[in-house]
Amino acid sequence: MRFGLIIFSCLLASFVNAESVVDLVDDDFDSKLNSYDTALVMFYAPWCGHCKRLKPEFEKAAQLLKSNDPPVTLVKVDCTEGGKSTCNKFSVQGYPTLKIFKAGEMSSEYNGPREAAGIAKYMRAQVGPSAKDLLNVKSTEEFLAKEDVSVVGFFSGESSELKSAFEKLADKLRETVRFGISTNQDVLAKFGHSDKVVLYRPKHLNNKFEPDTVVFSGASTREALNTWVEKNYHGLVGHRSVDNAAQFKQPIVIAYFKVDYVKNAKGTNYWRNRILKVAQSFRDDFNFAVSNKDDFQQELNEFGLEYIGDDKPRVTVRDASGSKFVLKEEFSIENLEKFLNDVKGGKLEAYMKSEPIPDNSAPLKTAVAKNFDEVVTNNGKDTLIEFYAPWCGHCKKLTPIFEEVASTLKDEDVAIVKMDATANDVPSKFEVRGFPTLYWLSKDNKDKMVRYEGGREKDDFIKYIAKHATKELKGWDRSGEPKDLKEL
């Protein structure tokens, strides 16, 4: 009986979550969407893997937004069945595609997070004023009780330079920062601020190493306020997640462990407090953060750290130039202090993810992190390099073609190079987001790389190289025509 009740409860919860998202088709899309003040629409295909991963987060976000004021509705449209015409109407070309609608009209593309809490936060920022009007003490206390950073403006009058700057900043940062504003005298008296802007850290991040609140004391300009918010938003040791990772800048110290403020806030803060204790002495040298090890396994791999089975933090550093360092000793306050002093003092060799240096006797050269300067940067030749992944189908198809190009041009002043971008650190100046990614580097200006966007057949490469080579090739003219044929 108990087992059956558990199953029923799970099914009921699933049903409630699913019911929170509205399903629309071509026949009712326009009419129903017109009745929603603000809606986030997910255009999807049932077979799409990314859609399958997003769907449960989308449903959870809908639950979180169900009682929001003003209301936000989450909608999904199946582009393979009843919503084909609607998807075509809004130029949906990939799945999932998310768009924000207001009063039935497409307002903007959705560029926010893809997990439930992040989706809900992003969409709350799309409705109502950019700074929530805190009308009384109770509403202010409820606003500050949320588990997020809050920036509140307390103002005694209707207009001032600081109030104007605050409102402009709230408009600018409404998607990432929670703003509240109050001119209520009871609120000002209760919280002890008048004509001040105050940043409140959420209670679960409160600690003895830094104040729970920070009062702005700079110039009454949006720029000064913006700088102050950025400096103080994450505190001395911020909680770095997948959604906010881009906000944490180098040089940065990151401690990876089982960060979980929902199920184990006490255990999370046990380790974070130890990081905080050390961070006090290095606040002018590094930024600090804690991250969930399971969410950032790929990032850990970049430091040579594989699966972590125990609870102790693993600590990494990226300095201002992007060089990487790893705390090799077991975590302790003493070991972390020594590690950071050694990084700061230039006493440690940077970690480099690299395959062994290969035998490069074949025409197609292989670059790894350890020989990149020799094979690419300082080879004295024009260079065409391919960054690939071993599992990539397009890369596998390109391999014999690239080998043939290298063999054909073996006597020219040109290097054809490949590099496994999954097994080696790629220099930061190369932007590699998909595979294969190819770049052309002139031998006289290796810092000015050109993304190769041409064809992928042998003749396409030959013609491109012939045209862009620093010195005309011996065997081909600038148009890519073989010189021996012209002589015949």
Side-chain angles (χ1 to χ4, degrees), residues 14 20 50 60 90 120 139 150 157 179 187-188 197 253 255 301 322 366 373 382 387 408 417 456 463 474 483:
S14 176
S20 301
H50 294 297
K60 290 176 191 174
F90 291 102
S139 65
S150 303
F179 289 93
V187 172
L188 271 58
V197 177
V253 180
N301 291 344
T366 299
D373 285 345
D382 294 327
F387 296 100
T408 301
V417 182
R456 302 289 176 85
K463 287 181 179 180
K474 291 180 283 186
K483 290 182 178 178

Side-chain angles (χ1 to χ4, degrees), residues 108-325:
S108 64
E109 301 289 338
Y110 174 86
N111 296 309
R114 296 297 177 101
E115 50 83 27
I119 294 170
K121 179 181 178 181
Y122 188 97
M123 290 308 299
R124 287 190 188 107
Q126 303 298 316
V127 296
S130 53
K132 183 175 177 61
D133 198 1
L134 306 175
L135 301 174
N136 51 50
V137 171
K138 182 181 178 183
S139 65
T140 306
E141 289 175 338
E142 289 175 347
F143 182 78
L144 295 176
K146 301 293 184 182
E147 293 187 352
D148 207 345
V149 175
S150 303
V151 180
V152 180
F154 299 94
F155 300 104
S156 58
E158 284 301 315
S159 62
S160 69
E161 287 185 5
L162 182 59
K163 185 170 184 283
S164 176
F166 175 83
E167 290 171 338
K168 289 177 182 177
L169 182 65
D171 287 337
K172 177 187 176 186
L173 300 181
R174 65 181 295 160
E175 293 174 356
T176 54
V177 180
R178 295 177 73 245
F179 289 93
I181 188 169
S182 185
T183 56
N184 180 277
Q185 293 304 312
D186 292 338
V187 172
L188 271 58
K190 171 70 175 178
F191 290 90
H193 298 293
S194 180
D195 295 315
K196 295 289 185 181
V197 177
V198 185
L199 182 145
Y200 291 83
R201 298 196 170 100
K203 289 183 179 179
H204 70 280
L205 294 181
N206 290 170
N207 61 83
K208 65 180 182 180
F209 302 102
E210 60 184 342
D212 301 338
T213 62
V214 187
V215 180
F216 176 70
S217 60
S220 297
T221 65
R222 190 187 78 171
E223 292 72 23
L225 269 172
N226 190 44
T227 300
W228 172 77
V229 170
E230 287 183 354
K231 179 181 178 181
N232 293 283
Y233 188 83
H234 292 292
L236 187 54
V237 178
H239 176 197
R240 179 174 171 270
S241 66
V242 173
D243 288 329
N244 70 11
Q247 297 172 16
F248 291 82
K249 307 300 182 184
Q250 298 172 183
I252 186 166
V253 180
I254 303 175
Y256 299 90
F257 57 99
K258 194 67 175 178
V259 175
D260 189 342
Y261 277 107
V262 176
K263 297 179 180 178
N264 189 17
K266 184 177 180 180
T268 298
N269 279 333
Y270 173 84
W271 293 116
R272 180 171 177 264
N273 285 338
R274 281 150 179 74
I275 308 297
L276 278 158
K277 187 172 183 179
V278 176
Q280 290 181 103
S281 304
F282 295 90
R283 64 172 70 233
D284 295 328
D285 305 301
F286 304 100
N287 297 309
F288 288 82
V290 295
S291 286
N292 186 299
K293 62 181 182 179
D294 297 330
D295 293 340
F296 289 93
Q297 185 57 57
Q298 183 175 348
E299 200 167 270
L300 284 165
N301 291 344
E302 294 176 8
F303 287 84
L305 298 171
E306 302 302 329
Y307 173 74
I308 300 170
D310 58 63
D311 294 331
K312 285 201 171 185
R314 301 299 192 272
V315 180
T316 69
V317 174
R318 279 189 189 269
D319 67 15
S321 68
S323 295
K324 300 185 294 184
F325 302 88

